[in-house]
Amino acid sequence: MTDPESSYAAIYAVVQRIPPGRVCTYGRVAALAGLPGQARLVGYALHALLRQSVVPWWRVINRSGRISNVYAADEQRARLLAEGVDVDESYLVDLDRFLWTGDDVE
């Protein structure tokens, strides 16, 4: 998949599968979208979304479990907290508790 539109569509389809109260990493979203090694592309795709989008962009964090969205970190943290995801003051999420891998059927 090299077409940016189809790549973004595949990324958005994966992100929409992340259940409320769970998070996924940029790299895992890329792999599930058929774009292994394209974590940055996931970031670009999510950044391109309009704020009113129904795609739950706030459920995607970095591989360390940290919110890395410098543009909307406080909003992302608030949205995750509202869904029951514990996010500490340094914007860190416990991946052992909240990671969605997409391998399970939820």
Side-chain angles (χ1 to χ4, degrees), residues 35-93:
L35 302 160
Q38 297 293 318
R40 284 188 186 210
L41 183 61
V42 173
Y44 298 145
L46 296 179
H47 183 73
L49 288 172
L50 297 174
R51 289 294 248 211
Q52 298 82 14
S53 172
V54 297
V55 177
W57 56 268
W58 58 90
R59 296 183 187 146
V60 183
I61 60 177
N62 72 24
R63 66 181 174 186
S64 301
R66 192 171 309 281
I67 290 173
S68 56
N69 179 343
V70 297
Y71 303 102
D74 291 330
E75 179 183 354
Q76 186 171 2
R77 182 174 188 257
R79 286 178 181 240
L80 288 172
L81 288 169
E83 292 185 349
V85 176
D86 294 330
V87 184
D88 71 16
E89 299 79 28
S90 64
Y91 299 94
L92 188 65
V93 174

Side-chain angles (χ1 to χ4, degrees), residues 21-25 28 61 93-102 104 106:
R22 303 292 293 278
V23 297
C24 193
T25 64
R28 186 65 185 148
I61 60 177
V93 174
D94 181 354
L95 291 179
D96 290 333
R97 279 184 65 198
F98 297 104
L99 181 65
W100 176 80
T101 62
D104 48 343
E106 297 188 29

